[in-house]
Amino acid sequence: MRALPHGKAITIVRPGPATEDEYGNDVPGPPTEIEVAGCAVEPMDGTGAGPNEDTQGRQQVISGLRVFCPYGTVIHATDQVRVDGELYEVYGKPGPGAGYQSPFTGSTGPVVVALTLVTG
């Protein structure tokens, strides 16, 4: 899949190399931001509402998106993805790593990643 001319730009937020805190524990370093243009974004469920849960008197809402990125985009399960100003977690393993390529025609498919956002 090539970048979609009318697609959305997303930002992959990748944790930086591990550093040590004052107690000698490994902590993620400063994140690296990678902008990817030409992506298709759709809600995971038909309404975009996602499941709701009442936890300790607070209303928790879980929203999901599915993002189709151009062939060759690298997204790790430990990355976060910013879409329209909201920072989503990668849900599961993005697949496949570089997208599909047809052995018959050489045409390429998208890299598909599921995202979740928990609020409340």
Side-chain angles (χ1 to χ4, degrees):
M1 177 182 119
R2 296 184 187 100
L4 300 170
H6 302 289
K8 255 184 208 281
I10 65 165
T11 304
I12 299 169
V13 181
R14 181 160 296 148
T19 60
E20 285 188 0
D21 64 9
E22 64 266 17
Y23 304 107
N25 299 317
D26 285 342
V27 294
T32 302
E33 296 196 359
I34 305 158
E35 186 166 318
V36 180
C39 300
V41 179
E42 70 177 14
M44 287 279 269
D45 56 9
T47 63
N52 298 325
E53 185 178 343
D54 192 10
T55 57
Q56 298 179 353
R58 295 176 57 186
Q59 189 69 18
Q60 187 176 55
V61 179
I62 303 170
S63 314
L65 295 177
R66 186 174 294 117
V67 180
F68 300 85
C69 301
Y71 179 80
T73 303
V74 177
I75 300 181
H76 301 267
T78 54
D79 292 342
Q80 296 177 309
V81 179
R82 186 175 297 115
V83 180
D84 293 333
E86 297 280 0
L87 195 59
Y88 289 81
E89 301 289 329
V90 173
Y91 181 75
K93 181 180 176 186
Y100 292 105
Q101 183 170 16
S102 169
F104 303 105
T105 64
S107 63
T108 55
V111 174
V112 182
V113 61
L115 306 174
T116 57
L117 175 68
V118 179
T119 57

